Amino acid sequence: MTDLFDEARQRLDRAAEHLDIHDDVMEQLRYPKETLAATLPVRMDDGSTRSFKAWRCRYDDTRGPTKGGIRFHPNVNIDEVMTLAFWMTFKCAVANLPYGGGKGGVAVDVKHLSRTELERLSRAYVQAFARFIGPERDVPAPDMYTNGIVMAWMADEYSKMADAPTPAVITGKPIALGGSQGRDDATGRGGYYVLRHLEKELGVAPEKSRVVLQGFGNASFHCARLLHDDGYKVVGLSDSRSAIYDPDGIDPHAAMAHKRKSGALAGAKGNGATKDLTNAELLEAECDVLVPAALENQITASNAEKIQAPVIVELANGPTMPEADPILAKAGKTVIPDILANSGGVTVSYFEWVQNKSGFYWDADEVHRRLKQTIAPEAERIWAMRKKKDIDMRTAAYVHALERIAEAVDARGTQDYFNPDG
Ligand code: GLU
């Protein structure tokens, strides 16, 4: 097991110290339930065949079918997939969705694939994992470098194999194929609702607070746009290649228009003297709210002390290494942890699955209303738990999730109430 997974479990152990739970629960949550590895042979456009490594992990299904995205990234490996599945287990419990946690991945750089190669790879994934996934078993969704089109190919492949339209096998689909209104901006919107709901507690407000977002993908863009439209000043943005900072503010709509046109964020202009920074420098830039919305392990023991933002909203999965947690806490920073801050995506995935199963579809207002109604009270509960137990927000979120998972494990029966004499 590598560090990422071990680190994830450290947080679980830390949370368990604050709860009186049965050993059975902790033993069960220490290991993934099942992980399947496969090799996907894909016909390339030039006629050759290339093999890609792929995985799917169902971490824990006590609370319901496992749920989580599929990531296409060159560095994906089995440990990362297991860790992401572990995080999904807690994220779904934080949002109180009737799901366990799962995740999938393919080691591939999609930037080197044509559209037809990407389609064959997506279909090959479903062929390899068709018996592992399923609407009542394990429900994938988009993650880094997978999107609605990839989900459409996957849903189509599964439906062909099942010989029946089966939209509920996967979420994040295009609207025309059973996708939900409001799924595209759900992750960013969820983070936005959490921040706005806790404004008073966090000491931030529109017209007064400056926001830096690391990353400019789907989650980050929508969060930036919603905050900007409400009067927050977005002062920094980045993509995988470059970062920009402008104390006079950046309009995320204009930055996205620039990125769409030129293919990169570099060169996008804010309202004043826009500076170019590196991604690492951006994290340490002056602002009131820092939103890491890119990769794992961005805030480490070596840069945690240099972060200026008093509030950190983790829109990415796992952007803060455990070693950085105590440094941030000592410096008085409040971290809204990933399993709460980015739970909007999977929450609207759940709404999509419900709509697919019922065959009755909601409008965008309904989706937004229900998302807010789901995430805001959980943010409040975690804030209250933090105060009650005098712990950081992350530990509070894990304690909150663990309580729910433990309750489900207990309800199913632990040794506690196994009485051999009847
Ligand atoms: N990949 C997203 C996440 O990490 C969404 C998962 C889902 O919608 O199932 O939360």
Side-chain angles (χ1 to χ4, degrees):
M1 308 262 169
T2 62
D3 295 346
L4 195 64
F5 188 54
D6 275 344
E7 285 165 7
R9 290 195 297 194
Q10 279 174 33
R11 275 155 174 172
L12 174 63
D13 291 335
R14 211 176 297 160
E17 287 166 19
H18 298 276
L19 273 179
D20 182 22
I21 51 171
H22 200 281
D23 288 346
D24 284 8
V25 177
M26 291 303 285
E27 183 61 14
Q28 180 179 319
L29 290 176
R30 240 182 270 284
Y31 310 98
K33 184 182 164 84
E34 48 181 344
T35 310
L36 188 63
T39 305
L40 312 180
V42 174
R43 179 78 63 203
M44 306 305 278
D45 290 346
D46 67 3
S48 66
T49 300
R50 259 181 71 189
S51 300
F52 297 90
K53 283 191 179 148
W55 300 270
R56 183 81 195 163
C57 171
R58 299 178 68 235
Y59 198 91
D60 185 78
D61 66 349
T62 312
R63 288 173 43 88
T66 47
K67 184 85 192 80
I70 299 172
R71 175 172 291 199
F72 285 180
H73 193 274
N75 300 338
V76 168
N77 57 61
I78 187 166
D79 285 295
E80 188 188 34
V81 170
M82 272 162 36
T83 308
L84 288 159
F86 171 93
W87 285 332
M88 285 307 303
T89 307
F90 289 86
K91 195 187 297 184
C92 291
V94 157
N96 208 11
L97 310 176
Y99 285 142
K103 202 80 172 196
V106 179
V108 59
D109 188 346
V110 292
K111 290 174 185 154
H112 295 153
L113 294 187
S114 71
R115 196 180 158 96
T116 44
E117 288 165 347
L118 186 62
E119 175 172 356
R120 288 193 286 270
L121 177 68
S122 305
R123 290 184 185 276
Y125 189 92
V126 170
Q127 285 159 16
F129 293 96
R131 279 161 302 145
F132 202 72
I133 62 175
E136 308 300 332
R137 193 169 199 279
D138 176 37
V139 185
D143 197 77
M144 280 169 59
Y145 293 106
T146 52
N147 57 17
I149 300 164
V150 171
M151 298 305 110
W153 289 324
M154 289 183 167
D156 183 58
E157 192 63 28
Y158 190 90
S159 297
K160 273 191 203 155
M161 291 175 81
D163 200 17
T166 319
V169 69
I170 206 156
T171 59
K173 301 177 294 293
I175 308 267
L177 273 184
S180 177
Q181 298 288 343
R183 177 64 185 85
D184 54 344
D185 73 3
T187 308
R189 183 177 286 275
Y192 154 81
Y193 284 149
V194 170
L195 185 73
R196 294 240 45 191
H197 195 71
L198 294 180
E199 266 170 359
K200 242 196 247 121
E201 291 83 348
L202 297 170
V204 298
E207 315 301 342
K208 157 182 143 186
S209 303
R210 298 155 303 166
V211 187
V212 162
L213 300 102
Q214 186 203 32
F216 203 44
N218 175 286
S220 171
F221 167 65
H222 287 295
C223 188
R225 138 184 106 74
L226 290 162
L227 289 172
H228 166 88
D229 294 352
D230 282 4
Y232 276 87
K233 193 190 265 184
V234 174
V235 292
L237 290 172
S238 71
D239 65 6
S240 57
R241 282 162 288 180
S242 59
I244 54 170
Y245 184 83
D246 190 329
D248 292 327
I250 302 164
D251 178 351
H253 302 276
M256 185 47 92
H258 174 90
K259 190 179 157 113
R260 287 219 174 101
K261 214 165 110 197
S262 70
L265 182 66
K269 291 275 169 266
N271 303 325
T274 312
K275 271 194 299 189
D276 289 328
L277 298 181
T278 63
N279 244 297
E281 287 166 342
L282 187 74
L283 291 174
E284 299 161 15
E286 203 182 315
C287 63
D288 305 296
V289 181
L290 174 66
V291 183
L295 281 168
E296 290 109 55
N297 295 346
Q298 298 298 298
I299 303 177
T300 64
S302 39
N303 68 0
E305 235 162 25
K306 298 186 206 131
I307 286 175
Q308 301 196 47
V311 175
I312 300 167
V313 181
E314 294 184 336
L315 221 45
N317 286 313
T320 308
M321 291 182 83
E323 59 189 34
D325 282 344
I327 304 172
L328 296 172
K330 205 166 146 226
K333 318 269 185 213
T334 306
V335 180
I336 311 285
D338 48 5
I339 55 172
L340 169 65
N342 71 30
S343 64
V346 70
T347 301
V348 177
S349 272
Y350 165 59
F351 297 160
E352 181 175 333
W353 182 76
V354 168
Q355 292 170 78
N356 290 153
K357 282 159 68 85
S358 71
F360 178 74
Y361 288 83
W362 314 344
D363 63 20
D365 286 347
E366 173 94 19
V367 171
H368 296 164
R369 188 179 60 75
R370 285 184 187 266
L371 172 59
K372 195 167 172 182
Q373 233 173 42
T374 305
I375 206 164
E378 300 302 347
E380 220 170 287
R381 281 182 194 117
I382 292 169
W383 185 266
M385 172 88 73
R386 167 192 169 275
K387 279 198 9 211
K388 192 174 116 198
K389 295 197 182 273
D390 191 23
I391 49 182
D392 61 41
M393 275 289 266
R394 188 188 315 284
T395 311
Y398 273 91
V399 170
H400 182 49
L402 194 51
E403 262 179 351
R404 283 190 174 142
I405 298 169
E407 205 183 322
V409 175
D410 266 351
R412 209 164 58 176
T414 62
Q415 285 174 7
D416 254 3
Y417 24 97
F418 178 68
N419 178 357
D421 304 323

